[in-house]
Amino acid sequence: MSSRPVWEKRQFGHRARLALTPAQEQAIDAQAHAARAAWNLLHNLWSMTPKCTRSLTRMDQTLRQARKDIDWLGVLPAQATQAVLKTYMRAWRNCWEGRAEEPAFKSRVRSVMSVDIPQGRDLHIKRVHRRWGMVNIPRVGRIRFRWTRDLPVGKAANSDNRITGARLVKDSLGWHIAFRVTALERKPAEHTGPEVGIDAGVNISLALSDGNHQDHGRPPRLPDGSADRDKWLNKEEKAKLLRLEQRAAHRKSFRKPKERTSNRLHRSYDQIRQLRARATRRATDWQHRTTTSLARQYGVIVVEDLHITNMTRSAKGSVENPGKNVAQKSGLNRSIAQEAWGRTVTMLTYKTARHGGTLIKVPAPYTSQRCSACGFITSGSRETQELFVCKNPDCGWTGNADHNGARNVLHLYRIGHTMEIPAAGRAVVRRTRGVKPATAR
């Protein structure tokens, strides 16, 4: 007797590159600047209004009147303006509930340019070519975008499978559109694959307890021992980046204090940001491919509950108590930031759930100092960043330090010392009663 399939709704995003003409790019830029200005106007209004008279209705009325009175603010569609208001109020709600800090003023330089399209019915998406599709942007017109995956459009769209909206986002490589998709999919069966512990490292990107390490093949260190800031760029791109940085430094030397940045210096900065964005895109692509492969292969994936912000804190210290090995710690912090461990765990979280697997977190203390063969713990076991040597005279196990950490991570899960991460809420440490840490693996 076969059981009936269980269906569940899943929400996800899909990002595609836009192919814009100069006029279309100028129009979207104007909308993005108007959206940023609308946020700042709301922030100023909220700050100057007494607490007893603050209301969503008043802010909505003020924003509507501002669109009528200010021409450059009126280029933003009405629904996109309402989306800015809803986002601002949601930011305050997250602050009140302790999930985020207070909303702040968005500067022209540091803020990301974006425009929200809250209604999916306004997009009118159509596939016109094997590699290209067309989408309608309010007050801009029809725009081509790269078609890299099937979207629920046309006859395939219904109440359960549809595009609910989109967001235009600009980075150093141009404008992109991020579709918000709701799909009805069959709930995956429980994954019966093996268990594996993962230790995120610098020398080995993802060390697995079974020895099936995942590495991107890019050395974290240069021959002189310093951290490689641009390991995702090839030799020609690194040489170009060096020339651009030298050119930018030369042009910056002619700028007087408080003087406006020249257009030439802006162009040099734009080219540098493009190379940096290209490297980030390659790193993200490797993470997507690797995490998808791990989610398909393993049923239970165990990772450490790392506090990356504390790990990458500077060792500079203060004037009274200066730090030690500041340069080495700075290079290590840079290498950790490049590996983007938090993004890897985020990808594994939703990909394991999509494939029927489970992601478990375990406490991180002593996983790198404990011998995975005998359980002996000492701070001097790591001879180098790569080598682990057990100081127990009865053991003497030697191996890769990251592999040793991955075996310890899996062992913590097997003895029940895990941290269950619910869909919403804080992690809870759970320890199986009556089970003590074993001294042998």
Side-chain angles (χ1 to χ4, degrees):
M1 181 178 178
S2 61
S3 59
R4 299 181 60 181
V6 180
W7 298 85
E8 61 180 2
K9 277 193 175 182
R10 190 173 68 89
Q11 296 179 346
F12 62 93
H14 172 61
R15 185 166 175 168
R17 177 167 55 90
L18 294 175
L20 302 173
T21 62
Q24 292 174 338
E25 185 173 3
Q26 185 177 3
I28 298 180
D29 286 344
Q31 290 189 10
H33 286 303
R36 181 185 58 84
W39 173 282
N40 293 334
L41 290 174
L42 291 172
H43 187 63
N44 292 335
L45 178 62
W46 182 275
S47 303
M48 294 184 296
T49 305
K51 292 184 178 180
C52 57
T53 58
R54 291 173 181 171
S55 65
L56 180 62
T57 304
R58 181 180 178 182
M59 298 182 70
D60 183 27
Q61 293 174 353
T62 305
L63 198 58
R64 291 174 184 269
Q65 187 63 35
R67 292 186 66 254
K68 297 178 181 179
D69 298 340
I70 305 175
D71 294 337
W72 54 266
L73 192 61
V75 300
L76 188 65
Q79 292 183 349
T81 308
Q82 293 297 314
V84 174
L85 176 59
K86 292 180 180 179
T87 304
Y88 183 78
M89 297 306 299
R90 189 183 304 116
W92 273 112
R93 195 176 300 112
N94 293 336
C95 175
W96 295 331
E97 296 176 359
R99 294 193 298 267
E101 297 183 358
E102 293 184 3
F105 183 87
K106 288 189 176 182
S107 65
R108 185 184 183 94
V109 178
R110 297 184 180 275
S111 60
V112 178
M113 298 181 64
S114 61
V115 180
D116 196 74
I117 307 174
Q119 298 292 340
R121 63 190 180 191
D122 298 333
L123 298 174
H124 303 294
I125 302 172
K126 183 178 180 181
R127 188 172 186 176
V128 296
H129 188 262
R130 182 171 63 91
R131 296 183 177 179
W132 293 96
M134 296 291 290
V135 60
N136 180 69
I137 305 299
R139 296 202 176 187
V140 178
R142 302 288 289 175
I143 297 177
R144 292 193 307 159
F145 69 93
R146 289 285 294 180
W147 191 283
T148 55
R149 68 171 298 170
D150 291 335
L151 297 172
V153 297
K155 297 181 179 180
N158 50 50
S159 59
D160 296 325
N161 300 275
R162 58 194 177 93
I163 295 177
T164 59
R167 189 174 185 85
L168 304 177
V169 182
K170 186 178 185 180
D171 61 8
S172 300
L173 298 178
W175 279 98
H176 299 75
I177 183 169
F179 298 105
R180 294 189 288 267
V181 185
T182 298
L184 187 64
E185 297 183 351
R186 179 177 295 182
K187 188 176 182 179
E190 184 178 357
H191 201 303
T192 58
E195 304 168 348
V196 67
I198 297 180
D199 180 81
V202 174
N203 296 289
I204 299 179
S205 302
L206 297 176
L208 273 62
S209 58
D210 60 357
N212 185 23
H213 306 316
Q214 304 294 317
D215 194 14
H216 44 62
R218 301 176 183 272
R221 301 282 176 177
L222 295 174
D224 59 356
S226 60
D228 189 0
R229 296 179 55 191
D230 313 303
K231 60 185 177 182
W232 290 98
L233 300 177
N234 56 36
K235 185 177 180 180
E236 293 76 12
E237 291 169 339
K238 288 183 179 180
K240 181 180 179 181
L241 180 61
L242 179 60
R243 291 195 303 269
L244 289 172
E245 290 177 340
Q246 293 174 345
R247 184 184 304 169
H250 176 72
R251 290 174 174 174
K252 186 179 180 180
S253 63
F254 293 98
R255 191 182 68 175
K256 299 179 181 179
K258 298 183 180 180
E259 186 180 7
R260 183 178 177 272
T261 306
S262 64
N263 293 331
R264 290 185 177 183
L265 184 56
H266 271 304
R267 283 196 295 269
S268 298
Y269 286 154
D270 290 341
Q271 290 175 314
I272 293 174
R273 281 193 289 266
Q274 288 176 3
L275 287 174
R276 299 286 189 197
R278 189 179 303 174
T280 302
R281 182 171 296 183
R282 290 172 182 171
T284 307
D285 178 73
W286 178 85
Q287 285 180 309
H288 272 295
R289 295 176 184 272
T290 304
T291 52
T292 300
S293 176
L294 293 176
R296 290 175 177 173
Q297 184 176 357
Y298 298 100
V300 177
I301 298 178
V302 190
V303 298
E304 296 176 287
D305 183 38
L306 298 175
H307 299 280
I308 303 175
T309 303
N310 297 336
M311 296 175 62
T312 56
R313 188 169 296 169
S314 175
K316 186 176 181 179
S318 60
V319 178
E320 295 79 8
N321 299 314
K324 298 180 180 180
N325 300 325
V326 178
Q328 293 86 337
K329 185 62 169 65
S330 176
L332 178 61
N333 293 348
R334 191 180 299 115
S335 300
I336 293 175
Q338 279 190 326
E339 294 297 333
W341 296 339
R343 188 168 58 198
T344 301
V345 174
T346 301
M347 293 180 182
L348 285 173
T349 301
Y350 70 84
K351 290 183 180 182
T352 51
R354 186 179 181 183
H355 290 84
T358 307
L359 180 73
I360 303 294
K361 288 186 177 181
V362 298
Y366 305 112
T367 54
S368 62
Q369 300 176 5
R370 181 187 293 112
C371 176
S372 59
C374 66
F376 187 75
I377 300 176
T378 179
S379 59
S381 297
R382 299 192 68 161
E383 296 287 340
T384 62
Q385 187 69 23
E386 302 180 15
L387 182 63
F388 181 93
V389 178
C390 181
K391 298 301 182 180
N392 186 358
D394 297 332
C395 177
W397 184 85
T398 303
N400 183 271
D402 295 331
H403 185 206
N404 176 76
R407 295 175 61 182
N408 287 326
V409 168
L410 182 60
H411 175 69
L412 288 176
Y413 161 71
R414 288 177 173 173
I415 66 175
H417 203 51
T418 63
M419 304 180 67
E420 295 186 3
I421 310 298
R426 303 179 62 181
V428 179
V429 180
R430 295 203 174 184
R431 179 80 171 268
T432 305
R433 292 185 179 181
V435 179
K436 298 182 179 180
T439 58
R441 304 300 190 269

